[in-house]
């Protein structure tokens, strides 16, 4: 069991310990596959990293939609304002939103999505698909239409589609499970593997990506991960059905990540063979 789950002794977690243990047992094979995935070792040059970033940026973007769907349900974002749910839950979700949407990097506020896009530019990665996607959303397109029209990589398009299926379920504990174990709990291990790959390349153009990865490892491992676990434990309580549904959603999120990583690995291999990246029609 992750250290932050064992050590974060909130009352809600103690009450729901069997549910958490059962969930982790179900997720263990997928989590192990994610830790051992060949995508990390496969990033052997700057061109490989660019392929990775051009896919991964869509996961960076849809993370915020997953987070905002939780904030919308756990706190009040409407006018007139009314107190919603427990103050502790509001505090947890708003604290995560504060740092994800307006973190302080080098003394300046920036969202992690905007930081990642800047890292793409520094690395020479192509930002036209993600920029076209965001522009389409700003002009009123829905997510599927915007994905179809922006030349998003197929793997990224499938990943975002799966995330929005979970959001559309409107099932709060399942959304929280996908957020907790598909994202916050998984990110430190994934990003450490990526840093190991980047350290072999010694490219100044990857410095901002390193900043992004380091920041997430620290935040998610020490703060956001434990907060998300606490939130999920409170939402599921002692309800066995909720824990089963939470495990289903978390497994769906992890499986989607594995598929995305496999797609990136395939496209890196194709690039080396001189085959153009696979783009959504």
């Amino acid at each position: 069991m992750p250290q932050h789950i064992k050590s974060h002794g909130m009352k809600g977690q103690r009450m729901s310990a069997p549910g958490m243990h059962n969930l982790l047992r179900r997720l263990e094979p997928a989590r192990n596959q994610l830790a051992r995935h060949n995508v990390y070792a496969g990033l052997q040059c700057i061109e490989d990293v660019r392929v990775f970033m051009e896919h991964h940026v869509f996961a960076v973007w849809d993370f915020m939609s997953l987070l905002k769907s939780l904030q919308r349900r756990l706190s009040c974002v409407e006018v007139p304002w009314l107190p919603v749910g427990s103050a502790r839950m509001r505090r947890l979700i708003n604290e995560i939103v504060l740092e994800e949407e307006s973190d302080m990097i080098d003394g300046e506020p920036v969202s992690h999505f905007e930081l990642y896009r800047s890292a793409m530019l520094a690395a020479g990665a192509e930002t036209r698909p993600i920029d076209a996607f965001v522009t389409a959303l700003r002009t009123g397109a829905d997510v599927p239409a915007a994905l179809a029209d922006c030349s998003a990589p197929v793997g990224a398009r499938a990943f975002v589609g799966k995330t929005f299926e979970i959001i559309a379920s409107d099932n709060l504990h399942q959304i929280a499970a996908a957020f907790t174990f598909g994202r916050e709990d998984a990110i430190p291990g994934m990003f450490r593997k990526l840093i190991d790959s980047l350290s072999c390349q010694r490219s100044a153009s990857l410095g901002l990506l390193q900043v992004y990865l380091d920041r997430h490892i620290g935040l998610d491992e020490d703060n956001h991960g434990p907060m998300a676990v606490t939130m999920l434990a409170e939402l599921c309580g002692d309800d066995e059905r909720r824990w089963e549904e939470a495990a289903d959603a978390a497994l769906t999120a992890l499986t989607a990540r594995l598929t995305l990583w496999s797609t990136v690995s395939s496209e890196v291999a194709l690039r080396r063979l001189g085959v153009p990246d696979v783009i959504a029609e």
Side-chain angles (χ1 to χ4, degrees):
M1 183 182 295
Q3 184 62 34
H4 65 251
I5 296 177
K6 291 191 290 185
S7 63
H8 208 64
M10 295 289 186
K11 178 181 177 183
Q13 283 181 256
R14 291 198 300 268
M15 289 171 57
S16 55
M20 185 68 74
H21 280 285
N22 290 336
L23 178 147
L24 289 170
R25 192 177 299 114
R26 280 191 61 192
L27 299 185
E28 185 175 4
R31 294 169 83 202
N32 288 338
Q33 289 178 56
L34 192 58
R36 297 193 304 266
H37 202 284
N38 61 10
V39 70
Y40 314 111
L43 303 181
Q44 298 177 6
C45 63
I46 186 67
E47 289 81 7
D48 297 342
V49 177
R50 289 169 183 156
V51 172
F52 173 86
M53 296 182 80
E54 289 159 12
H55 285 73
H56 183 229
V57 67
F58 285 88
V60 175
W61 173 83
D62 80 354
F63 170 89
M64 286 305 303
S65 293
L66 198 60
L67 175 59
K68 284 294 188 175
S69 70
L70 289 170
Q71 186 187 34
R72 186 176 59 190
R73 294 284 300 277
L74 295 173
S75 67
C76 183
V77 294
E78 306 297 335
V79 177
W81 177 87
L82 292 170
V84 172
S86 73
R88 182 172 71 157
M89 296 282 271
R90 295 195 298 268
R91 174 77 184 193
L92 289 172
I93 197 64
N94 285 331
E95 193 167 332
I96 295 173
V97 169
L98 172 65
E99 290 174 323
E100 295 287 352
E101 192 171 36
S102 53
D103 201 4
M104 294 297 293
I105 304 294
D106 292 334
E108 294 292 333
V110 65
S111 74
H112 289 173
F113 170 76
E114 291 165 311
L115 175 63
Y116 196 89
R117 183 183 177 279
S118 294
M120 291 180 70
L121 292 173
E126 180 60 74
T127 64
R128 281 180 294 183
I130 189 64
D131 290 345
F133 176 66
V134 171
T135 297
L137 294 175
R138 289 188 191 280
T139 57
D142 61 18
V143 170
L147 281 172
D149 292 342
C150 75
S151 296
V154 170
R157 182 176 174 180
F159 184 88
V160 173
K162 190 58 65 176
T163 298
F164 272 79
E165 284 180 19
I166 294 171
I167 292 172
S169 74
D170 208 29
N171 186 320
L172 185 56
H173 56 279
Q174 288 193 304
I175 296 170
F179 178 79
T180 300
F181 289 104
R183 303 299 180 100
E184 298 288 34
D185 174 73
I187 282 172
M190 291 191 301
F191 283 7
R192 280 197 177 91
K193 296 273 190 176
L194 289 169
I195 285 174
D196 288 344
S197 295
L198 298 181
S199 65
C200 299
Q201 300 187 37
R202 299 176 184 173
S203 172
S205 65
L206 298 178
L208 201 52
L209 176 59
Q210 178 93 31
V211 170
Y212 172 88
L213 297 173
D214 283 337
R215 181 58 173 156
H216 270 80
I217 290 170
L219 276 178
D220 294 346
E221 193 163 68
D222 298 334
N223 297 302
H224 295 179
M227 290 176 184
V229 169
T230 298
M231 177 175 62
L232 179 63
E234 185 164 321
L235 289 171
C236 291
D238 294 320
D239 189 320
E240 292 184 9
R241 179 185 58 81
R242 286 190 176 189
W243 279 111
E244 284 293 323
E245 292 173 348
D248 290 342
L251 186 57
T252 295
L254 286 171
T255 301
R257 175 75 67 169
L258 285 165
T259 301
L260 177 63
W261 276 185
S262 294
T263 302
V264 172
S265 292
S266 296
E267 295 206 11
V268 165
L270 289 172
R271 185 198 62 78
R272 289 179 186 153
L273 293 172
V275 180
D277 288 350
V278 178
I279 300 297
E281 294 296 331

